[in-house]
């Protein structure tokens, strides 16, 4: 496969990732509303740890990278929830 074709494939994947990111953040906004209505904290360390361990295992040899990616996604989701007015 030529470099141009590989780059085109990466561009298509990036578009899919962006769509999923936007969808994830929309749901994070819904979670923020639920937490606000039920006076729940944003940060739930046990749940985050479970998710990070799970994605690390599922990703196999790339587990460390997956863990960093998902930790970043969760940090962004938490910040978005804070920005929605949910108490820390």
């Amino acid at each position: 496969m030529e470099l141009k074709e590989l780059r085109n494939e990466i561009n298509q994947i990036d578009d899919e990732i962006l769509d999923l990111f936007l969808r994830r953040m929309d749901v994070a906004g819904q979670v923020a509303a639920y937490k606000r209505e039920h006076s729940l904290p944003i940060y739930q360390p046990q749940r985050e740890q479970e998710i990070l361990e799970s994605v690390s295992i599922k990703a196999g040899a790339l587990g460390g990278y997956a863990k960093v990616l998902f930790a970043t996604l969760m940090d962004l989701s938490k910040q978005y929830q804070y920005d929605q007015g949910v108490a820390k």
Side-chain angles (χ1 to χ4, degrees):
M1 196 177 259
E2 294 294 320
L3 182 59
K4 184 177 180 178
E5 293 171 310
L6 294 169
R7 286 181 174 164
N8 284 337
E9 187 171 351
I10 285 176
N11 290 343
Q12 290 174 349
I13 293 167
D14 286 348
D15 288 343
E16 292 175 35
I17 291 170
L18 179 58
D19 288 342
L20 291 171
F21 171 74
L22 295 173
R23 187 171 146 202
R24 189 183 199 288
M25 294 303 280
D26 180 60
V27 174
Q30 294 174 47
V31 169
Y34 183 92
K35 288 178 178 179
R36 186 173 46 252
E37 290 172 15
H38 295 88
S39 301
L40 297 172
I42 290 172
Y43 182 52
Q44 297 180 351
Q46 182 177 349
R47 173 161 166 71
E48 286 192 18
Q49 189 60 38
E50 290 170 1
I51 292 168
L52 292 175
E53 288 175 16
S54 175
V55 299
S56 180
I57 292 167
K58 289 177 185 177
L62 295 175
Y65 297 104
K67 203 170 187 178
V68 170
L69 172 63
F70 276 80
T72 302
L73 284 172
M74 287 187 286
D75 287 346
L76 291 168
S77 291
K78 285 185 293 195
Q79 186 57 54
Y80 185 60
Q81 290 179 37
Y82 289 135
D83 292 345
Q84 300 299 308
V86 179
K88 296 180 182 182

